[in-house]
Amino acid sequence: MSLPSPATPAELSARAERGLLDRLGATATVVGWAPGRVNLIGEHTDYNGGLVLPVALPHATAAAAVRRDDDRVRLSSAQAGDTWSGTVDDLAPGRVTGWASYAGGVLWALREAGFDVPGLDLHVHGTVPLGAGLSSSASIECSVAFAVLGLLGVEPDLATRRAVVDACIKAETEVAGAPTGGMDQTISVFAEAGTALLIDFTAHAHQTVQLALDDRRVLVTDTRVSHELTDGGYGTRRQDCEEAARALGVATLRDATLDDVTRLTDERVARRARHVVTETARVPLAVEALASADWSRLGELFAASHASMRDDFEISTPELDLAVATAVASGADAARMTGGGFGGSIVAIVPSTQVDRVVAALDDAFADAGLKAPAHLLADPSGGAVILP
Ligand code: GLA
C-alpha cells in the first residue's frame, strides 16, 4: 500500500526532543505520547449521554519536557512558529491563547486538579492532521498531561488516567473555548492497540471492542475542508440538543425515545434529537457487525449514520458527501463522515485488496470536481497515551 506510515513513538519522541533543544535550548528528561482518533460511529452523542466507538490512530503527538528550577513555563510546537512564555501562575483561562491554549490549558487544569505542576520547558511535535476532525487537539492535551506525569514521577494508574481525561476536557472547554464532549480525550488515554473503545457517557464507563478486521483496513480520507470546533456550528448543535432534552423533561437525550422525539414542536430541534436517538441506537449494532465481520450490515449502519448527519443534524458538506459516495461506489464496505463535521474526514472500512482502488477513485472524484486533493491515512488501531523514557 502506497500511503506513508506514521512515525513510530520512538521516532516522534526523537523529533520532539530535537525540537525542544533547537527551539528552547533545553534537553528533555521525559516525553509524553498520545494518539489522535477516528470515530467509527456514534457522532455528537457524547455530550448527550450516548455511546461512541472510536479507535486511536497511529498518528500522535509527542511532548518533550524538562523541569526548570524556577516557576517559568515555555511552550513551543513544531506546528506553530510562536513560543508561549510566562509563569505557572499565568496559566489561566483567557491568558493563554492560540495553539498554546491546549498545552497551557492542560497545565492549568492539572494544577486545579491538585497536581503540583512545576516550571517547565515543553515542545510538542505532532503527526495528527490539523483541522481534519481527527482530534489533534486531544492528542496535544493528553501528550502534555503524560509529560507532566513523567516529570512528577506519577504512575498513570486508573485514577490518574481518569483525572487526566477530566483535566484535558476542562482545558479544551474552559481554556481553548471548544465545547466538546469528552470522547476524544477518553480514547486518547484509554485506547488499547488493535481494538475500538465503546464509551458510554451515561454510565461513565468504557470497554474495548474486538474488531474482525483481518482482511479489512480502516481508511480515513481528509477532505481538507478545514473545520474549527470553536466556530459556531458545534455549539449551536449542542444547544439544540439541550433544548430538546429540556422540552422532553429528560436529563440527556440518552433517555429519550423516537416516540418522544415526535412530540417536539420545533421542527429543527426535533431533527437534531432524532439524529442523536437513532445514532446511539446504531452503535451497539455496529459493534456486533464489526465483531462478526458482517460488512453489509455495517455498510447499512454507516450509510444511515451519514444520512442522519447530513439531513437531520446538518453537519455534512458536499465534499464529505462526495467522498462517502465515491468510497462506497469504488469498493468500500462502509463509509461515513466522522468527527464534529462541517468539513474534516470520512472513515471507511475497506477490503485490504481494494484500498489502492478506493484511494485512486477518491483522488479522481475530487480532481474531477475541481477540489483540492484529499489526504488519506490508514487508521490501524493504536494504543493509548504513554510516558516514554
Ligand atoms: C468533536 C468533539 C467530540 C464529539 C465529536 C462529534 O470531535 O470533540 O467530543 O462531540 O466532535 O461526535
Side-chain angles (χ1 to χ4, degrees), residues 131-151:
L134 301 173
S135 294
S136 54
S137 52
S139 151
I140 294 174
E141 290 153 12
C142 299
S143 70
V144 169
F146 271 64
V148 171
L149 297 183
L151 290 180

Side-chain angles (χ1 to χ4, degrees), residues 301-368:
L301 292 164
F302 272 32
S305 170
H306 186 79
S308 177
M309 288 188 283
R310 185 191 58 214
D311 303 336
D312 280 350
F313 222 61
E314 295 180 286
I315 55 171
S316 190
T317 63
E319 296 84 359
L320 289 165
D321 296 343
L322 174 67
V324 165
T326 305
V328 170
S330 60
D333 301 302
R336 56 184 284 282
M337 60 147 284
T338 183
F342 308 102
S345 301
I346 69 157
V347 60
I349 306 295
V350 184
S352 308
T353 54
Q354 300 299 310
V355 172
D356 286 333
R357 190 167 149 221
V358 173
V359 164
L362 285 161
D363 288 347
D364 288 349
F366 272 56
D368 289 350

